[in-house]
């Protein structure tokens, strides 16, 4: 791609002049280097700008993030725990027709996962019918025997979900994993959008980008729907572990946007199986809690006895129907990466449909034949533990040493239930601004789904970017950044 642009009478190469599309699917450019149809307006707009123009806009966006306090916390960092997530101001654009298909697939998946969670904590039909081996579910570290027999309001367990999608070299989207416990990142979607409106106001209007501004009203509506019918104005609160949690900015942001209280465990107390918040005017009954605390820590009477973050007795109040929790306790079973391998079977079993959004092909190492295949081909595999997140504890075979391969072979043999393996995908790339030019970086996509009276899929979601050259790890804790995602 060649071209010149004029700025103040000085000619300089435009940003796309030497962009290398490479061998991966590129979100903005076709293999020949021409912009994809849905990116034509963005391409033309970039052509009119100098590298200095874009740098100024990028710097202005980063300053706004700092001023607004858009940060996340990193554990174990000596140089300080708080930082902004790097933000690339070139949006990722998804065509409306394709998004409609993706949205339909996400809704299908959430309905099936919700039916699965309800089933395994009640009748366990899917286990009795042999669709999923019983030992696979009951040996999962995220399976909660304490939740057996629970019946959440309206039969909904997973009120808020973040489903990670990737695009392979064939241009197709695949589900990489499900996040139902305490999915984070939606606050960055909302704030990124505000920054983009400031950065490219004219382009934003011209593209007819679907809005994301109503997410918080959709979330509040879903939370209100969980309260008993006789309560006209439910009291809703967001329960956070506190300021040292990596997603504390998000907790405070969502509470503020919904106009509800942000509380910690020490702010709540249970009396006669009802939950109350301590206020300057005395105790105030709380009807619905959007909890951002993992099951282990939410109630020391039921789960971890040493938890200082939760509320003693809150599960008893939940069982009595006196408070609603979103997401419901026990939903983490669907985050287990071994359980993930069976989601297409769940969809077929509960809905009598084929999965619209396919899984990445997955080998479960508890199975002897599949484990042997993984061990023989480990140099070509991505190996993941069942319950780690953030890109930790995994092996990317083609980018690892023989010593690392052998280490993971031993780990798999020692605890085969704890590992899955997948072929190494050629993750799609998108252009990002690097100094005075554009370079391709690998991306994924986390759409957010709210399950309330209806199912709402936030248009777009969080595009995460592996900013380290050649890296496949997009997590912010390991140097990843983000982009705004436009559904046009």
């Amino acid at each position: 791609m060649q071209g010149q642009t004029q700025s103040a009478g000085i000619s300089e190469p435009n940003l796309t002049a030497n962009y290398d599309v490479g061998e991966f699917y590129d979100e903005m450019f076709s293999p020949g280097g021409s912009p994809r149809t849905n990116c034509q307006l963005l391409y033309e707009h970039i052509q009119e700008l100098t590298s200095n123009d874009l740098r100024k806009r990028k710097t202005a966006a980063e300053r706004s993030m700092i001023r607004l306090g858009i940060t996340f916390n990193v554990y174990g960092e000596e140089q300080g725990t708080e930082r902004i997530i790097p933000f690339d101001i070139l949006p990722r654009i998804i065509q409306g027709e394709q998004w409609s298909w993706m949205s339909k697939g996400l809704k299908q998946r959430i309905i099936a996962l919700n039916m699965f969670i309800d089933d395994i904590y009640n009748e366990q039909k899917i286990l009795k019918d042999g669709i999923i081996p019983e030992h696979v579910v009951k040996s999962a570290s995220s399976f909660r025997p304490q939740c057996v027999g629970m019946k959440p309001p309206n039969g909904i367990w997973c009120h808020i979900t973040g489903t990670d999608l990737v695009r392979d070299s064939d241009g197709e989207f695949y589900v990489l994993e499900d996040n139902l416990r305490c999915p984070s990142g939606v606050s960055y979607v909302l704030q990124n959008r505000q920054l983009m409106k400031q950065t490219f106001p004219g382009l934003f209007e011209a593209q007819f980008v679907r809005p994301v501004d109503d997410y918080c009203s959709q979330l509040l509506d879903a939370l209100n729907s969980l309260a008993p019918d006789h309560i006209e104005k439910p009291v809703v609160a967001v329960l956070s572990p506190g300021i040292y949690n990596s997603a504390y900015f998000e907790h405070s942001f969502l509470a503020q946007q919904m106009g509800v209280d942000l509380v910690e465990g020490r702010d709540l107390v249970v009396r006669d199986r009802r939950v109350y918040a301590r206020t300057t005017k005395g105790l105030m009954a709380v009807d619905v809690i959007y909890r951002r605390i993992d099951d282990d820590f939410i109630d020391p009477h039921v789960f971890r006895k040493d938890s200082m973050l939760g509320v003693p007795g809150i599960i008893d109040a939940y069982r009595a129907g006196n408070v609603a929790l979103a997401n419901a306790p026990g939903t983490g079973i669907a985050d287990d990466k071994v359980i993930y391998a069976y989601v297409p079977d769940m969809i077929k079993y509960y809905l009598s449909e084929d999965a619209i959004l396919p899984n990445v092909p997955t080998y479960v190492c508890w199975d002897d034949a599949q484990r042997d295949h993984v061990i023989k081909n480990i140099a070509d595999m991505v190996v993941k533990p069942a319950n780690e997140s953030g890109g930790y504890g995994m092996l990317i075979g083609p980018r690892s040493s023989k010593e690392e391969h052998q280490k993971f072979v031993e780990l798999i043999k020692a605890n085969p239930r704890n590992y899955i393996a997948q072929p190494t995908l050629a993750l799609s790339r998108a252009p990002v601004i690097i100094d005075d030019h554009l370079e391709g970086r690998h991306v994924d996509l986390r759409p957010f789904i709210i399950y309330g009276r209806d199912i709402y899929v936030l248009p777009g979601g969080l595009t995460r970017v592996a900013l380290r050259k050649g890296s496949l790890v997009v997590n912010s804790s390991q140097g990843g950044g983000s982009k705004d995602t436009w559904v046009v």
Side-chain angles (χ1 to χ4, degrees):
M1 300 173 221
Q2 300 295 326
Q4 301 288 319
T5 186
Q6 296 289 332
S7 178
I10 300 172
S11 178
E12 65 172 65
N14 67 52
L15 281 158
T16 63
N18 298 306
Y19 182 74
D20 180 17
V21 175
E23 59 189 12
F24 304 95
Y25 184 97
D26 193 278
E27 297 289 335
M28 185 171 174
F29 295 104
S30 64
S34 58
R36 297 188 185 277
T37 304
N38 57 321
C39 297
Q40 183 66 40
L41 280 177
L42 174 62
Y43 174 77
E44 291 172 0
H45 197 74
I46 293 173
Q47 294 297 91
E48 298 172 359
L49 300 174
T50 66
S51 58
N52 192 44
D53 291 332
L54 276 186
R55 274 201 305 271
K56 285 180 179 178
R57 297 184 191 212
K58 181 178 175 69
T59 301
E62 289 172 348
R63 285 176 179 165
S64 293
M65 292 180 82
I66 295 170
R67 187 179 70 253
L68 294 169
I70 307 173
T71 61
F72 73 104
N73 293 334
V74 182
Y75 304 120
E77 292 277 344
E78 293 181 4
Q79 67 269 37
T81 59
E82 202 167 21
R83 63 173 66 161
I84 65 169
I85 293 182
F87 176 56
D88 187 76
I89 61 173
L90 295 181
R92 178 200 195 155
I93 300 178
I94 298 175
Q95 196 69 28
E97 292 84 356
Q98 185 171 49
W99 177 253
S100 296
W101 167 79
M102 293 164 66
S103 180
K104 185 178 178 183
L106 291 167
K107 289 178 181 180
Q108 179 199 53
R109 193 174 182 94
I110 295 309
I111 290 170
L113 283 169
N114 190 76
M115 295 176 75
F116 165 72
I117 298 167
D118 189 65
D119 187 13
I120 61 137
Y121 287 120
N122 288 280
E123 297 183 42
Q124 301 188 347
K125 289 181 179 178
I126 199 167
L127 306 184
K128 293 170 184 173
D129 288 343
I131 306 301
I132 302 176
E134 184 174 356
H135 75 88
V136 168
V137 171
K138 295 191 174 178
S139 64
S141 63
S142 53
F143 176 70
R144 299 286 181 257
Q146 302 94 326
C147 296
V148 170
M150 280 186 178
K151 290 288 186 181
N154 308 326
I156 300 171
W157 294 75
C158 47
H159 310 90
I160 303 98
T161 304
T163 301
D164 291 346
L165 306 177
V166 292
R167 198 201 297 259
D168 199 5
S169 55
D170 58 6
E172 294 298 317
F173 278 97
Y174 296 83
V175 178
L176 186 65
E177 63 181 51
D178 303 288
N179 298 281
L180 282 73
R181 274 174 291 197
C182 299
S184 63
V186 74
S187 59
Y188 304 114
V189 176
L190 304 179
Q191 292 284 31
N192 287 354
R193 178 57 54 86
Q194 293 305 313
L195 293 173
M196 289 299 291
K197 286 181 178 179
Q198 299 167 23
T199 305
F200 295 116
L203 177 63
F204 188 88
E205 293 295 329
Q207 287 271 208
F208 299 102
V209 182
R210 293 191 189 177
V212 297
D213 312 69
D214 62 341
Y215 178 86
C216 290
S217 62
Q218 293 276 356
L219 176 59
L220 182 58
D221 183 61
L223 295 173
N224 282 330
S225 73
L226 302 179
D229 292 337
H230 68 273
I231 299 176
E232 289 187 14
K233 293 184 178 180
V235 175
V236 177
V238 176
L239 175 59
S240 171
I243 60 172
Y244 297 109
N245 184 266
S246 61
Y248 183 74
F249 164 77
E250 176 155 300
H251 306 164
S252 58
F253 175 82
L254 292 176
Q256 186 256 337
Q257 292 293 308
M258 289 191 289
V260 305
D261 287 329
L262 176 67
V263 298
E264 298 178 26
R266 60 189 176 182
D267 300 320
L268 302 177
V269 63
V270 176
R271 297 279 189 271
D272 298 322
R273 304 174 86 186
R274 287 228 51 183
V275 180
Y276 297 88
R278 295 184 174 95
T279 75
T280 54
K281 297 179 180 179
L283 296 179
M284 175 183 67
V286 178
D287 305 301
V288 182
I289 295 174
Y290 176 23
R291 54 111 179 184
R292 297 298 295 258
I293 295 179
D294 284 345
D295 291 345
D296 280 344
F297 302 101
I298 197 168
D299 187 342
H301 287 177
V302 177
F303 300 109
R304 280 186 55 162
K305 293 180 172 57
D306 61 345
S307 172
M308 303 294 287
L309 300 174
V311 185
I314 195 172
I315 294 298
D316 195 29
Y318 177 69
R319 280 188 175 276
N322 294 328
V323 69
L325 298 175
N327 284 345
T331 52
I333 183 63
D335 288 6
D336 185 290
K337 293 180 177 63
V338 180
I339 298 297
Y340 152 92
Y342 294 93
V343 175
D345 297 325
M346 293 177 202
I347 293 171
K348 194 75 172 176
Y349 180 74
Y350 293 117
L351 304 178
S352 300
E353 299 170 356
D354 292 326
I356 296 170
L357 284 169
N359 272 17
V360 176
T362 302
Y363 300 91
V364 292
C365 292
W366 68 262
D367 179 276
D368 292 345
Q370 294 186 47
R371 182 174 65 252
D372 289 344
H373 176 80
V374 169
I375 290 173
K376 288 176 183 175
N377 297 279
I378 198 163
D380 300 316
M381 295 280 188
V382 175
V383 181
K384 303 176 183 177
N387 283 287
E388 288 286 345
S389 60
Y392 293 105
M394 61 188 284
L395 172 83
I396 301 178
R399 303 188 181 187
S400 304
S401 65
K402 289 183 179 180
E403 290 75 17
E404 289 170 316
H405 295 164
Q406 188 56 40
K407 173 189 172 184
F408 267 79
V409 167
E410 298 305 322
L411 288 170
I412 291 168
K413 288 180 177 179
N415 188 4
R417 163 59 180 81
N418 192 48
Y419 290 93
I420 65 162
Q422 298 169 330
T424 306
L425 297 181
L427 295 188
S428 67
R429 296 197 312 190
V432 301
I433 302 169
I434 305 293
D435 299 325
D436 62 349
H437 61 285
L438 302 185
E439 291 184 12
R441 293 291 187 269
H442 294 293
V443 294
D444 77 353
L445 178 64
R446 177 174 290 183
F448 291 88
I449 307 100
I450 297 174
Y451 197 166
R453 293 182 177 91
D454 298 303
I455 298 180
Y456 166 79
V457 183
L458 181 69
L462 182 67
T463 287
R464 300 185 299 176
V465 187
L467 289 176
R468 294 173 184 165
K469 191 168 187 175
S471 174
L472 296 173
V473 182
V474 299
N475 305 84
S476 55
S477 57
Q478 298 199 49
S482 71
K483 284 176 172 285
D484 193 14
T485 311
W486 292 5
V487 176
V488 299

